[in-house]
Each structure stands twice: as C-alpha cells, then as structure tokens.
Amino acid sequence: MTFHLWTVQKRNELQESLNLWLESMQARGLSPKTLRNYRDTVGRFVNFLESLNLTTLDAVNPPHVRRWLLHRQAQGVSSYELYNAYRQPHTFWRWCMREGLTENDPFAKVEKPKVPVKVKPVLTPDEVQALLRACEGTHWLRLRDRALILTALDTGARAHELLNLTVGDASRESILITGKGQKQRMVFLSSTTRVALHKYLKACPFPLQQDSPLWWGRYGALTLHGLLEVIQKVGKRAGLKGHLGAHIFRRSYATWCLRSGIDLETLRQLLGHSDFSSMKHYLNLVEADLKRAHQQHSPVNALLKQKRR
C-alpha cells in the first residue's frame, strides 16, 4: 500500500488579515497612492512580526509592538515615519478588532511616538501680489497662469482636484469636486476668479467643450506634472525663494480663513477633511495670531488698565 504524504502549510492569520484589510480599504475608494503607503508600512509590520515567529493576531503583545518601533528607529527613520510606523499598523489592528477577528489589542499600552510640530510656510499678501504680477500680460498662457493661481487660492483645492476641473466648472460659483478617498465637497469661486477664468478660456486656442479639461498648455491638456511645473515657473518668475508647490496654496487658504474668523467645522467641510485631526497643522500656523489676540484681549491686561485709570 502506498501512502501519500501531504505537506500542510500553517495558516498565516496575520497575512490573511492584512489582505482582507487592504481589500476593505480599496473598497472604500482610497487612492492608489494611499493604498501603496498602507501596504508598504503595514506589510513591513506584519513581516517583522513573522520574523519573531508570530502568525496569529492573538499572539502579538505590547512588547512586540515596542520592538517594532525600536526596529524602525534603528533603521534611522524620521520622526514622522516612526509615527506612521505606529499609526498605520494601529489603524489596521483596530479594523481587525471591529471585524471580530481578535479581541487582543497590543497597542493599548504602547505610547504613540511624538512628532515635532513643523510649521510649514504660507504665502504672504506680498508674495501673492508678486505671483499675480508674474502672470501679467495678454498672452493666453499668462492669462492661464493668473487664473490657475487665483483658483488655487480661492478654493484650497489639492493639485489633482484642480487638474480634474472642467471648462464647464469655470463659470460656476460653486463646484462639486471629488477629493481623497472619493469624498465629495463643494468649493466656491469668487467673481474675480471667474473673470480671470473667462479671460483665459476666451484666449485659449484649443477647441473647448463644457466637459473639456480646464487647464491647457502649448501642446494640449496639462497633466499633473505639467500643472505643478506651471506653478513652479510662476514662482520663479515672481522671485519667490525655494520650491513653490501646489499645497502651499491650500495651506494659505486654510490659514487666511482661520485668520478671518471662520469656524473649524465650516473649514473642515471646505477642505474636505473627514475629521479635525488633519487640521492641527493649520491651527499651528495661526499660533502667532492667537498670541497677539491674547495680548490684545487678555482679561488680566484689561483689569490692570482699568485699575490704572
């Protein structure tokens, strides 16, 4: 009698859970870039656990998570990358718990790494004026540049959101755009911006329909790379120091809105954030404004002034 020996491969619950979670994230409509980021970071975490001979969710405990963070520290990652090495695996683990895959939470007793607050610059009014002066002229490309700068400042839209605008959007006061995670929101165009867009489109030499892309270059519709290059070139013509990225317009929009007294919930909706955690860095930008406001309205200062009178 012949016996066949079958090799039984041990079930890897961690890898299976990771694959299910990534499918769930994809079903939510997250961008390919975000999915790659999750797959890379959480995949490394799972691979690290496997190197410790851990293959099940219940086998992982807080010391394993701490060893993972120490492992990433030893690799010389930045403080922001170290924070993500905690945050993204924690997000994955919370999903596993919500799905009933485990009741074990190895992150519960592990402190999250601290991230030093970096205040990124925003455009000053003088810099905005310099950018607009760099767009002066009657050539259709200069008219396009002016319209693009004003649209970016007026909406706080991300680069890919700007790229997805159509010719038909240019004449509307409000535009429904689709942002990160396929979340939709309304943005608004001032009359000044709509006039700039009208002048640009009137001068644009390409045959345009309502559903045509809004932004064009010498050789056709702009790609994302082309749009970013346009912004950089305007910055160089304006004499601005350093690299001018598209996101500085979004930061400037948020900061100026806060300085003008907008409430956080309204700003959150205008920016398309799902919660307030993503808005902390915008609040840091107006810390100096808050300090000045405190000095101006401090109850102690007011009482002392009254006493001196």
Side-chain angles (χ1 to χ4, degrees):
M1 183 181 293
T2 304
F3 292 92
H4 295 280
L5 297 177
W6 298 91
T7 301
V8 179
Q9 190 171 14
K10 189 176 181 180
R11 178 171 170 262
N12 190 325
E13 185 184 56
L14 282 170
Q15 284 289 352
E16 289 178 4
S17 301
L18 173 61
N19 291 334
L20 288 171
W21 176 66
L22 289 171
E23 287 179 9
S24 172
M25 295 299 101
Q26 188 173 8
R28 280 179 51 192
L30 298 187
S31 70
K33 181 180 177 181
T34 301
L35 286 171
R36 283 195 301 271
N37 191 13
Y38 276 148
R39 186 180 293 110
D40 179 58
T41 303
V42 183
R44 288 185 185 205
F45 172 65
V46 169
N47 290 339
F48 176 79
L49 295 177
E50 289 177 343
S51 73
L52 303 178
N53 296 318
L54 301 170
T55 57
T56 66
L57 295 165
D58 289 340
V60 182
N61 56 44
H64 296 136
V65 177
R66 294 190 187 101
R67 286 177 67 180
W68 156 249
L69 295 175
L70 289 171
H71 168 71
R72 293 298 282 153
Q73 272 186 316
Q75 292 180 322
V77 299
S78 67
S79 56
Y80 181 76
E81 288 174 307
L82 185 64
Y83 174 74
N84 272 338
Y86 173 93
R87 183 180 65 86
Q88 293 182 1
H90 192 200
T91 299
F92 158 64
W93 212 275
R94 287 202 308 267
W95 178 87
C96 291
M97 295 180 69
R98 285 197 306 271
E99 292 294 313
L101 301 179
T102 183
E103 294 182 359
N104 174 43
D105 185 4
F107 289 84
K109 296 181 180 180
V110 179
E111 287 191 28
K112 67 177 69 173
K114 293 182 179 179
V115 181
V117 177
K118 287 186 178 180
V119 179
K120 295 183 179 180
V122 297
L123 294 169
T124 66
D126 287 342
E127 287 173 332
V128 172
Q129 292 300 327
L131 287 171
L132 294 178
R133 283 195 298 271
C135 300
E136 289 177 350
T138 57
H139 192 279
W140 75 273
L141 289 175
R142 290 299 176 97
L143 295 173
R144 176 207 62 191
D145 294 351
R146 177 181 172 83
L148 176 57
I149 296 300
L150 288 175
T151 302
L153 282 170
D154 218 5
T155 62
R158 302 176 178 93
H160 73 274
E161 294 168 348
L162 290 170
L163 187 69
N164 290 335
L165 295 176
T166 65
V167 170
D169 292 327
S171 59
R172 301 188 180 104
E173 285 188 41
S174 58
I175 306 169
L176 181 66
I177 62 175
T178 302
K180 292 175 68 175
Q182 299 300 305
K183 294 191 291 286
Q184 292 186 319
R185 73 182 190 279
M186 298 298 297
V187 297
F188 302 88
L189 297 175
S190 65
S191 58
T192 301
T193 300
R194 294 202 307 276
V195 168
L197 285 164
H198 174 75
K199 290 181 178 179
Y200 150 58
L201 291 174
K202 188 176 180 181
C204 182
F206 292 93
L208 302 175
Q209 305 296 326
Q210 288 293 295
D211 59 352
S212 298
L214 180 55
W215 307 113
W216 294 76
R218 294 183 186 277
Y219 306 108
L222 289 179
T223 61
L224 182 59
H225 175 77
L227 184 140
L228 296 174
E229 191 174 36
V230 167
I231 292 173
Q232 290 174 31
K233 287 182 177 179
V234 174
K236 287 182 179 178
R237 291 203 307 267
L240 269 60
K241 294 180 181 179
H243 173 84
L244 183 69
H247 211 73
I248 194 171
F249 295 98
R250 184 170 169 83
R251 289 199 302 272
S252 301
Y253 171 85
T255 304
W256 293 346
C257 284
L258 287 169
R259 286 172 176 167
S260 299
I262 195 171
D263 66 274
L264 289 177
E265 174 58 21
T266 300
L267 181 59
R268 183 192 68 77
Q269 293 184 36
L270 288 171
L271 291 171
H273 289 307
S274 56
D275 54 49
F276 292 106
S277 61
S278 302
M279 298 173 60
K280 289 179 181 177
H281 53 290
Y282 299 128
L283 293 171
N284 291 328
L285 292 170
V286 294
E287 184 178 350
D289 298 337
L290 295 174
K291 183 178 179 180
R292 283 193 295 271
H294 174 264
Q295 291 172 344
Q296 185 177 356
H297 302 288
S298 165
V300 172
N301 289 343
L303 288 169
L304 290 176
K305 284 180 181 178
Q306 286 182 356
K307 188 176 180 180
R308 283 196 291 268
R309 289 175 187 169

